[in-house]
Amino acid sequence: MKKDKSVIIWLLSGCVLVFIMVVVGGITRLTNSGLSMTDWHLVTDTFPPMTEAKWNAAFEEYKKFPEYQKINIHNDFQLSDYKFIYFWEWFHRFIGRIIGLVFIIPFIYFLIKKRIDKSTLNKCFVLLGMGALQGFFGWFMVKSGLVDNPDVSHFRLALHLTFAFITFAYTLWVALDLIYPERKEIILPLRKLARITLVVLLIQIIYGGFVAGLNAGLIHNHWPLMSDGEFFHESVVLEKDSWLLRFTEGKSGVQFIHRTMAYFVVALILILYFKSKKYILSAQQQKGLNALLVIVLIQFALGVFTLINGVPLWLGLTHQIMAFFLLTAMTFTLHRLSK
């Protein structure tokens, strides 16, 4: 453990940075800032424009794209407004650069000093690939909103968001492997249920991305039923022609899946928690399950309040942050039930 301490700190620092990246990404989405930077360069746009002339040039470039031409041109959109949305997208990309440096520089150092064992080294190469792929997904997402439709594809948004969550979870898992190197007897029924719960949680996160990308939280702002006191509102069927499209592209259908699946996530975690009472657990396992139960109940309540209040910025962001904490608790609990 002592030998791996610096590597553990490095990996956990990466987790913190990915968390910050997702929070800023949430602000970027909720403030409609994601299409403010119309091009991407690895070095030249590391810092925002430094002079008024450069700001005006960037603003004029932005005016050539659909978001300004179809939406903001009608909103008395000024340079000061552009600077605001530009900041959040720039900051999001800037943190991405910091993550790259924080990963690569210490990684090279640890390689030279032979501080990483073969097993961890292989996992780090996976992380390196995941980081590069996440950068590509970000570019791929933004590109979808710069052609005809002044909004990014909700599929690409969900891919970018979910992969960030997965990258975080895997980084945490690698760190936990070093923090808890000892092996113990596995409680197979609990591990199986925890794995199922993780899969359902990830699907729920994907649908959270769909809801965000389609602004589907701005309709049916009622709970526990949808509009008109209906559990399954007729608009789910009316929006699209096929069930696949209704539940992947229709605002009502996507919201229905997200709000309904929340019950399944809570139920699975409750079952996991009470089923664990049949077994003798370690302190870490019990703490993980306790945290999981508390966080999922808070997250459920946040989801309800976010919906019925029409997704105000602070609540939407808090809901996304709590999803991160929920995934953290899920990852920790599954790790402690698995190794």
Side-chain angles (χ1 to χ4, degrees):
M1 172 70 177
K2 188 175 181 181
K3 175 188 172 185
D4 297 326
K5 187 175 181 181
S6 55
V7 178
I8 292 168
I9 292 172
W10 167 58
L11 290 168
L12 292 179
S13 298
C15 289
V16 171
L17 284 170
V18 173
F19 169 73
I20 294 171
M21 181 85 165
V22 171
V23 171
V24 174
I27 297 173
T28 302
R29 176 63 195 172
L30 290 167
T31 55
N32 296 311
S33 303
L35 299 176
S36 57
M37 294 178 70
T38 56
D39 206 350
W40 190 89
H41 303 97
L42 186 60
V43 178
T44 54
D45 60 358
T46 300
F47 297 101
M50 295 298 184
T51 65
E52 202 67 11
K54 289 184 178 179
W55 271 117
N56 281 307
F59 189 31
E60 289 303 315
E61 190 65 25
Y62 171 72
K63 289 179 180 180
K64 298 176 184 178
F65 289 87
E67 183 174 72
Y68 179 80
Q69 294 174 350
K70 296 184 178 182
I71 299 175
N72 285 333
I73 195 172
H74 306 295
N75 296 332
D76 190 30
F77 195 78
Q78 303 297 321
L79 180 60
S80 58
D81 302 306
Y82 177 66
K83 287 180 177 179
F84 174 77
I85 64 171
Y86 186 101
F87 168 78
W88 287 112
E89 176 62 14
W90 167 80
F91 192 37
H92 186 57
R93 299 187 190 194
F94 182 73
I95 296 169
R97 289 182 169 91
I98 296 297
I99 291 174
L101 292 174
V102 167
F103 183 85
I104 292 170
I105 294 174
F107 180 56
I108 293 171
Y109 172 80
F110 291 138
L111 274 179
I112 293 171
K113 294 292 184 178
K114 297 181 179 178
R115 299 285 294 274
I116 305 177
D117 61 70
K118 186 176 180 180
S119 175
T120 305
L121 181 61
N122 291 335
K123 296 169 189 173
C124 288
F125 280 125
V126 172
L127 283 173
L128 184 63
M130 292 176 79
L133 193 56
Q134 178 66 352
F136 168 76
F137 287 153
W139 169 84
F140 185 61
M141 175 188 70
V142 170
K143 191 173 178 60
S144 68
L146 296 175
V147 184
D148 297 312
N149 182 24
D151 204 356
V152 299
S153 160
H154 68 288
F155 291 114
R156 298 187 189 188
L157 172 68
L159 176 65
H160 187 51
L161 175 68
T162 307
F163 200 72
F165 274 80
I166 292 171
T167 302
F168 167 86
Y170 186 67
T171 307
L172 179 60
W173 190 278
V174 176
L176 290 171
D177 280 345
L178 296 175
I179 295 170
Y180 302 106
E182 75 285 351
R183 310 293 295 187
K184 64 181 187 311
E185 188 176 346
I186 297 169
I187 306 173
L188 290 174
L190 293 184
R191 185 181 70 175
K192 182 179 180 181
L193 183 55
R195 285 176 172 176
I196 293 169
T197 306
L198 176 61
V199 170
V200 174
L201 177 58
L202 287 173
I203 295 171
Q204 178 71 333
I205 289 169
I206 291 170
Y207 265 87
F210 286 175
V211 169
L214 291 170
N215 293 315
L218 302 180
I219 59 173
H220 303 301
N221 301 112
H222 307 275
W223 187 85
L225 302 174
M226 298 177 81
S227 299
D228 305 317
E230 296 181 7
F231 173 72
F232 184 85
H233 196 265
E234 63 179 354
S235 57
V236 175
V237 178
L238 295 175
E239 270 193 85
K240 299 292 177 180
D241 295 329
S242 73
W243 286 106
L244 177 62
L245 294 180
R246 286 164 187 159
F247 290 140
T248 56
E249 295 187 16
K251 292 183 180 182
S252 295
V254 163
Q255 192 200 105
F256 174 78
I257 294 292
H258 191 57
R259 66 193 289 157
T260 304
M261 191 169 286
Y263 293 108
F264 286 95
V265 174
V266 173
L268 282 168
I269 289 174
L270 282 170
I271 293 168
L272 179 62
Y273 180 82
F274 287 109
K275 190 172 184 177
S276 71
K277 298 299 181 184
K278 300 177 183 178
Y279 303 92
I280 299 173
L281 303 177
S282 68
Q284 290 91 0
Q285 289 170 334
Q286 190 61 62
K287 286 177 182 177
L289 287 162
N290 290 345
L292 201 54
L293 181 63
V294 171
I295 294 171
V296 77
L297 294 176
I298 294 173
Q299 176 66 342
F300 185 88
L302 277 172
V304 171
F305 286 123
T306 301
L307 180 66
I308 63 177
N309 285 285
V311 197
L313 174 61
W314 73 272
L315 262 178
L317 187 60
T318 304
H319 187 50
Q320 183 168 304
I321 290 171
M322 194 54 65
F324 227 101
F325 290 155
L326 182 57
L327 182 64
T328 302
M330 188 72 247
T331 303
F332 177 84
T333 303
L334 179 56
H335 189 278
R336 292 295 73 220
L337 292 173
S338 301
K339 294 187 175 183

